[in-house]
């Protein structure tokens, strides 16, 4: 049945439902401000789906029902970008950023340059092409010249509109941005992957890239992804009268694309530094990973005058944050006794700053992990923080190992109460079986006072530990 055999009132009803659902998605995924409860969305969605089941001709590519994932592919089709997807030069510290600014001032022969400053997302670059307002192609960056057609997968991302909003958009719009996976969704995905004995991803960026480059869009549909847009691949028609990046973002936003509101337009270097500092200290609190800020010349004419190099543009720079990896030396390996008696080995380190946070101890999880890493007191190790705040050991630099460093021997007795440690055959974590172990008591009481539990103020870890060790505090009643 083609579109013309569908009764006009049914067609109108479907159009109305599509529009309404798209509007709700926009409020939910882009404005973060839903206008209807989830059940109402589901109800509208089901109504549209039923109509489409009855009249398959209604199932247009911009229908919200078409996000769920098409049939699997054998391979991705290669697509050539109409203009190369270039990269950014990095500034690794303030001095290099100031060099960039001097270069801009010199070349543009101006005393001050207006910049637009935004977050640098740590994800996967994607190009979207809209024809007559409908998403017609999504491609990866690839080598910058040619990428892969991942349209079926990108269509499953809720913050990517299948249809642009309003009526003012151009007949052809080429948008570029970054697909990211939120840190919570990344953790959740890995928990599921682990349970199902599937590949565990090492960080949200790899998880996002792995999900986008999936031949089966149904798998991508099950992954929670997001996309932020940060530019266009072909200039807008002069009739739009946009003269700056800021103005482009205004248009993209108007057309329903996900532009991050956290940006700064300024010609004050001091304010750019403040933006950098603020984000670097806040980066752990963001829902997704960023690895720096991007500073772009805001004026489009000036950008054009500056031009580009083979691999990067000359009008922007990525001012990177301090790396999330650092080296330190293991002073000793201690074993902690937890609330349930679990013994956890911990490496005590020479304090080191990892991405702005001082780390002086790092968990080694269990004896198997110590063996796998072959970490010993005296070793130089690489620590990283990724996806979450908890630092991890990524590897040992064995070349730096002191000659006398001995493999760590896991204690046979509880380091706190001296009770013989037990470890069941199938368990990986050794335990102290003594329920009266002062450490277990203290940990239980600490847990009891914590925010997630009773949230008791004024009793800290230090006091509880001391009182438990002296025998004055044995259970919660003793408080
Ligand atoms: S603008 C001509 N803005 O960083 C280059 N890129 O190292 C235009 N990226 O390939 C890129 N956040 O994938 C731009 N706010 C942002 C970005 C951003 C992340 C990525 C992008 C690019 C890479 C360059």
């Amino acid at each position: 049945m083609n579109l013309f055999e569908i009764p006009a009132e049914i067609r109108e009803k479907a159009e109305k439902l599509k529009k309404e659902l798209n509007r709700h998605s926009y409020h939910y995924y882009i404005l973060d401000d839903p206008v209807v409860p989830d059940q109402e969305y589901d109800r509208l969605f089901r109504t549209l789906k039923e109509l489409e089941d009855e009249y398959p001709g209604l199932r247009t590519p911009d229908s919200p029902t078409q996000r769920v994932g098409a049939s699997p592919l054998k391979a991705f089709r290669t697509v050539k970008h109409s203009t190369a997807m270039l990269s950014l030069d990095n500034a690794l510290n303030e001095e290099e950023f100031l060099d960039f600014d001097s270069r801009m001032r010199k070349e543009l022969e101006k005393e001050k340059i207006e910049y637009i400053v935004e977050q640098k997302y740590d994800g996967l670059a994607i190009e979207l092409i809209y024809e007559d307002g409908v998403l017609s192609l999504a491609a990866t960056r690839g080598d910058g010249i040619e990428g892969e057609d991942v349209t079926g997968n990108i269509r499953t991302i809720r913050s990517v509109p299948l249809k642009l909003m309003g009526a003012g958009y151009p007949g052809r719009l080429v948008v570029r941005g970054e697909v990211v996976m939120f840190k919570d969704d990344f953790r959740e995905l890995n928990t599921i992957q682990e349970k199902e004995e599937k590949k565990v991803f090492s960080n949200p960026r790899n998880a996002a890239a792995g999900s986008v480059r999936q031949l089966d869009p149904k798998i991508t549909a099950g992954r929670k992804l997001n996309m932020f847009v940060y530019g266009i691949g072909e200039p807008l028609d002069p009739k739009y009268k946009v003269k700056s990046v800021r103005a482009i973002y205004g248009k993209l936003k108007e057309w329903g694309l996900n532009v991050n509101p956290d940006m700064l337009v300024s010609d004050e270097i001091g304010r750019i530094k403040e933006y950098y500092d603020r984000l670097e200290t806040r980066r752990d609190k963001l829902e997704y990973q960023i690895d720096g800020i991007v500073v772009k010349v805001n004026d489009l004419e000036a950008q054009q005058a500056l031009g580009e190099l083979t691999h990067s543009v000359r009008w922007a720079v990525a001012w990177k944050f301090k790396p999330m990896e650092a080296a330190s030396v293991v002073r000793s390996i201690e074993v902690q006794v937890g609330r349930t008696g679990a013994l956890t080995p911990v490496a005590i380190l020479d304090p080191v700053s990892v991405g702005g946070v001082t780390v002086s101890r790092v968990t080694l999880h269990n004896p198997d992990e110590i063996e796998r890493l072959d970490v010993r007191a005296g070793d130089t190790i690489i620590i990283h923080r990724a996806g979450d705040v908890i630092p991890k050991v990524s590897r040992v630099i064995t070349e730096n190992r002191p000659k006398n460093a001995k493999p760590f021997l896991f204690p046979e007795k509880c380091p706190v109460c001296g009770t013989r440690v037990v470890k069941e055959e199938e368990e990986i974590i050794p335990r102290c079986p003594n329920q009266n172990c002062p450490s277990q008591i203290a940990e239980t009481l600490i847990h009891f006072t914590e925010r997630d539990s009773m949230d008791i103020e004024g009793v800290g870890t230090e006091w509880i530990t001391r009182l438990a060790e002296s025998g004055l505090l044995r259970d919660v009643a003793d408080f």
Side-chain angles (χ1 to χ4, degrees):
M1 184 185 294
N2 74 32
L3 206 55
F4 302 102
E5 293 167 51
I6 301 169
E9 70 273 15
I10 299 283
R11 241 183 302 148
E12 267 163 38
K13 188 171 171 197
E15 266 323 299
K16 228 176 116 191
L17 282 166
K18 285 179 198 172
K19 251 207 182 121
E20 213 172 331
L21 284 163
N22 281 335
R23 193 172 65 87
H24 292 329
S25 278
Y26 174 72
H27 278 269
Y28 189 95
Y29 291 102
I30 297 186
L31 302 182
D32 252 340
D33 182 20
V35 283
V36 291
D38 291 359
Q39 298 91 304
E40 175 62 4
Y41 182 92
D42 294 343
R43 193 186 63 77
L44 296 170
F45 189 91
R46 260 199 318 275
T47 315
L48 176 62
K49 199 155 181 310
E50 279 160 18
L51 276 184
E52 288 179 347
D53 286 343
E54 200 172 331
Y55 302 97
L58 293 172
R59 217 172 268 138
T60 52
D62 63 333
S63 170
T65 62
Q66 300 306 295
R67 286 192 188 273
V68 284
S71 319
L73 300 171
K74 291 230 160 50
F76 294 114
R77 188 172 67 93
T78 305
V79 282
K80 194 166 186 308
H81 301 297
S82 61
T83 58
M85 282 180 84
L86 297 175
S87 173
L88 296 168
D89 257 349
N90 288 334
L92 299 181
N93 49 47
E94 185 175 326
E95 200 187 334
E96 290 184 10
F97 167 65
L98 294 177
D99 286 345
F100 163 79
D101 176 52
S102 311
R103 216 158 50 232
M104 296 299 105
R105 282 186 286 128
K106 192 164 156 226
E107 296 199 19
L108 295 169
E109 295 174 358
K110 282 180 92 172
E111 236 168 75
K112 275 181 165 187
I113 310 287
E114 184 176 82
Y115 294 109
I116 181 158
V117 193
E118 52 199 75
Q119 302 174 355
K120 184 173 191 299
Y121 315 104
D122 197 5
L124 175 73
I126 291 289
E127 174 171 89
L128 306 173
I129 300 182
Y130 287 89
E131 277 170 297
D132 293 324
V134 178
L135 177 66
S136 63
L137 179 77
T140 61
R141 189 176 103 96
D143 62 3
I145 307 296
E146 283 182 339
E148 287 172 324
D149 177 347
V150 287
T151 315
N153 292 342
I154 297 299
R155 293 174 61 84
T156 68
I157 304 177
R158 304 298 168 129
S159 48
V160 173
L162 298 178
K163 174 109 206 302
L164 296 178
M165 294 208 316
Y169 50 74
R172 178 180 158 91
L173 178 67
V174 182
V175 190
R176 289 172 181 175
E178 199 93 346
V179 168
V180 299
M181 185 178 282
F182 282 8
K183 292 187 255 186
D184 276 350
D185 296 328
F186 161 72
R187 276 186 282 257
E188 198 177 301
L189 170 64
N190 265 354
T191 310
I192 297 170
Q193 294 285 101
E194 207 167 315
K195 225 183 263 162
E196 297 180 352
E197 293 182 6
K198 291 192 187 132
K199 180 193 155 95
V200 169
F201 295 98
S202 53
N203 56 49
R205 175 167 39 85
N206 287 351
S211 304
V212 168
R213 299 193 64 259
Q214 256 296 333
L215 287 167
D216 184 354
K218 289 217 171 49
I219 296 181
T220 313
R223 307 270 171 90
K224 291 187 188 129
L225 296 167
N226 273 278
M227 181 165 176
F228 292 109
V229 301
Y230 53 59
I232 51 177
E234 291 172 16
L236 286 180
D237 190 282
K239 80 170 183 207
Y240 290 103
K241 296 199 170 63
V242 295
K243 304 219 175 308
S244 65
V245 178
R246 181 75 191 82
I248 291 177
Y249 287 168
K251 288 286 169 211
L252 296 180
K253 180 112 217 266
E254 202 180 300
W255 297 330
L257 289 149
N258 194 23
V259 181
N260 192 334
D262 182 19
M263 57 178 126
L264 167 75
V265 177
S266 178
D267 60 4
E268 297 286 344
I269 295 301
R271 292 198 57 203
I272 297 173
K273 280 191 210 162
E274 273 168 31
Y275 182 93
Y276 176 94
D277 290 338
R278 180 181 65 89
L279 269 181
E280 186 168 46
T281 43
R282 261 190 50 213
R283 67 189 289 200
D284 283 335
K285 297 193 180 67
L286 290 185
E287 289 177 285
Y288 44 88
Q289 287 195 322
I290 58 173
D291 58 351
I293 65 169
V294 181
V295 183
K296 303 173 179 173
V297 171
N298 192 27
D299 184 75
L300 296 179
E301 228 172 80
Q303 278 193 2
Q304 260 226 303
L306 289 158
E308 48 208 35
L309 304 166
T310 346
H311 293 291
S312 58
V313 297
R314 303 186 59 236
W315 43 263
V317 74
W319 183 5
K320 304 282 284 267
F321 293 144
K322 283 177 223 94
M324 288 297 251
E325 257 193 0
S328 181
V329 174
V330 179
R331 284 188 188 156
S332 61
I333 297 176
E334 282 181 4
V335 173
Q336 285 180 349
V337 188
R339 182 160 56 94
T340 58
L343 299 190
T344 310
V346 178
I348 310 300
L349 312 172
D350 284 343
V352 62
S353 167
V354 188
V357 171
T358 305
V359 177
S360 53
R361 45 200 299 134
V362 57
T363 177
L364 298 170
H365 301 289
N366 55 58
D368 290 356
E369 181 69 359
I370 296 189
E371 204 171 308
R372 186 186 71 79
L373 289 164
D374 184 21
V375 55
R376 307 176 185 189
D379 270 343
T380 302
I381 57 171
I382 302 292
I383 305 145
H384 75 124
R385 299 196 299 123
D388 46 30
V389 202
I390 302 157
K392 295 194 179 99
V393 178
S394 30
R395 65 203 150 87
V396 173
I397 315 261
T398 36
E399 300 89 81
N400 290 10
R401 172 169 288 163
K403 281 210 174 62
N404 57 356
K406 292 189 190 64
F408 179 71
L409 283 180
F410 210 86
E412 289 177 359
K413 287 183 178 158
C414 171
V416 178
C417 70
T419 309
R420 185 160 285 279
V421 167
V422 293
K423 184 169 159 303
E424 304 299 338
E425 197 61 50
E426 65 279 13
E427 294 252 330
I428 49 171
I429 297 167
R431 284 171 200 284
C432 163
N434 172 16
Q435 285 180 1
N436 294 318
C437 170
S439 187
Q440 288 189 47
I441 293 173
E443 291 297 325
T444 305
L445 295 170
I446 290 165
H447 180 76
F448 179 77
T449 61
E450 274 171 353
R451 180 101 50 86
D452 300 342
S453 188
M454 298 306 287
D455 193 12
I456 304 176
E457 278 175 44
V459 269
T461 309
E462 178 102 352
W463 273 108
I464 295 178
T465 310
R466 276 207 231 168
L467 291 172
E469 272 168 12
S470 71
L472 280 171
L473 197 55
R474 278 202 210 94
D475 57 36
V476 293
D478 291 340
F479 276 126

